[in-house]
Amino acid sequence: MGQGNDQGVAGGGGTPLPDEIAAGNAEQAEVWNEAWNGDDGRYWVQQRERQEARYRRLTPHLMAAAGIQADSRVLDIGCGSGGTSLEAARAAAEGAVLGVDVSAPMLAEARKQAAGCGLPQVTFERGDAQVHRFEDGTFDVAISRFGVMFFADPEAAFGNIARALRPGGQLAFLCWRSVRENAYLTVPMGAIAPYVQLPELEAPDAPGPFSLADTDRIQKLLDSAGFDEITIGAVDEPMWMGPDPDDVVAYQLGIPGSRAMLAEASAEARAKTVTALRDALAEHQGPDGVTLGSAAWLVTAERR
């Protein structure tokens, strides 16, 4: 089933996109405009707590790898509703954190959360990290939790991020491995496949959640962008899906992409989809709720 948040892409119904949106992203701009600043963006704001819970075993890997110090200047790319930005701000108590995303609703929520947590050292800007005008050498650390896979021109994006880092600055990000390795997708999608038309999730070299599944591609992109000391390690963690199968079914089928998919199915197919999904999830119920496996790459690099 489609996932949202921390994708570093957004725009929105009724809200003009930033002038700086990269020309290479023009094809996605209309999608962003109708989705991520409209109903989709507001939906993921409502799901903020669930998303943080889903990533609760993954986020610590990113934060540990980032090596944020008390006085670090941190850039959070595709920050969404600000979960990782707030974590970075807690570590950089005497430093500064900038979260960048192109979803106005998510950024509004991020600012609200930062204010509520008493973290004045974190700020947020709306922009496209491919072309955002960061001051050269401003940051000590750049992080991203599943927010760097959606660039239309990843070469330009990682080059821009490198320029924003000081020489010797650290990059750390999480990105997904292949679909087949991620049970949090294969289990629900496999259950409903007989009844609905599933979306294409893997498109080689195209923007999307699995565009950086190939480690050779990551290595080449970062090397050409000006990074050294590149490390790519596998992170396998159970992902909490929800407290029980009924809750997870409601969540999965409420995702904007799922709603669109089900709208094209017959009433009989929709009913069978619900039953099949609930049955599949029930097999993964445990003491803490429903959990399914996730598979990511944890990537670190140092700016030359």
Side-chain angles (χ1 to χ4, degrees):
M1 313 287 288
Q3 304 299 316
N5 210 349
D6 298 314
Q7 296 189 352
V9 294
T15 304
L17 288 166
D19 292 339
E20 66 172 24
I21 289 292
N25 279 348
E27 292 184 4
Q28 297 188 57
E30 189 61 30
V31 174
W32 294 350
N33 228 14
E34 297 200 0
W36 289 93
N37 274 318
D39 290 342
D40 288 15
R42 288 187 286 272
Y43 175 83
W44 291 115
V45 167
Q46 295 168 1
Q47 296 295 329
R48 180 189 62 81
E49 290 186 8
R50 180 187 289 268
Q51 290 300 95
E52 292 304 316
R54 283 162 60 85
Y55 294 143
R56 67 188 177 198
R57 294 184 177 94
L58 291 161
T59 303
H61 291 277
L62 173 65
M63 303 312 295
I68 298 169
Q69 303 299 310
D71 61 350
S72 291
R73 300 163 298 168
V74 184
L75 171 63
D76 188 4
I77 304 149
C79 65
S81 294
T84 45
S85 300
L86 301 186
E87 287 293 315
R90 293 184 182 101
E94 301 168 15
V97 178
L98 174 64
V100 176
D101 202 281
V102 291
S103 171
M106 289 185 185
L107 290 173
E109 178 65 18
R111 293 184 183 102
K112 175 183 174 183
Q113 292 297 321
C117 293
L119 295 170
Q121 68 272 37
V122 59
T123 58
F124 298 93
E125 292 181 8
R126 186 168 180 240
D128 180 355
Q130 276 186 200
V131 293
H132 193 71
R133 298 172 184 87
F134 302 113
E135 185 177 345
D136 288 357
T138 299
F139 300 98
D140 303 301
V141 182
I143 63 172
S144 184
R145 183 180 66 184
F146 306 114
V148 294
M149 302 94 70
F150 302 88
F151 298 123
D153 187 347
E155 292 86 354
F158 283 113
N160 196 40
I161 293 164
R163 285 188 294 274
L165 287 166
R166 62 167 174 77
Q170 179 82 357
L171 170 67
F173 66 83
L174 285 166
C175 61
W176 295 119
R177 297 195 333 248
S178 66
V179 171
R180 67 179 178 277
E181 296 175 89
N182 278 283
Y184 83 90
L185 280 175
T186 60
V187 168
M189 291 180 72
I192 69 174
Y195 312 112
V196 294
Q197 181 65 45
L198 297 176
E200 176 60 47
L201 292 179
E202 288 183 305
D205 299 331
F210 301 96
S211 68
L212 296 179
D214 183 349
T215 56
D216 287 341
R217 187 175 193 224
I218 296 173
Q219 186 83 30
K220 290 175 183 176
L221 283 169
L222 295 183
D223 179 66
S224 64
F227 288 99
D228 282 328
E229 306 298 327
I230 301 165
T231 67
I232 305 172
V235 174
D236 295 89
E237 290 286 1
M239 180 183 288
W240 182 84
M241 305 295 289
D244 56 66
D246 286 333
D247 172 86
V248 183
V249 168
Y251 163 71
Q252 292 278 337
L253 299 185
I255 293 171
S258 298
R259 293 201 304 266
M261 179 177 62
L262 288 172
E264 299 178 0
S266 67
E268 180 183 6
R270 289 196 294 272
K272 290 181 176 180
T273 294
V274 170
T275 299
L277 185 56
R278 183 184 295 112
D279 290 346
L281 292 168
E283 297 180 13
H284 299 272
Q285 173 80 54
D288 297 327
V290 178
T291 59
L292 295 171
S294 71
W297 294 122
L298 175 62
V299 181
T300 64
E302 184 178 292
R303 187 204 162 179
R304 286 198 281 271

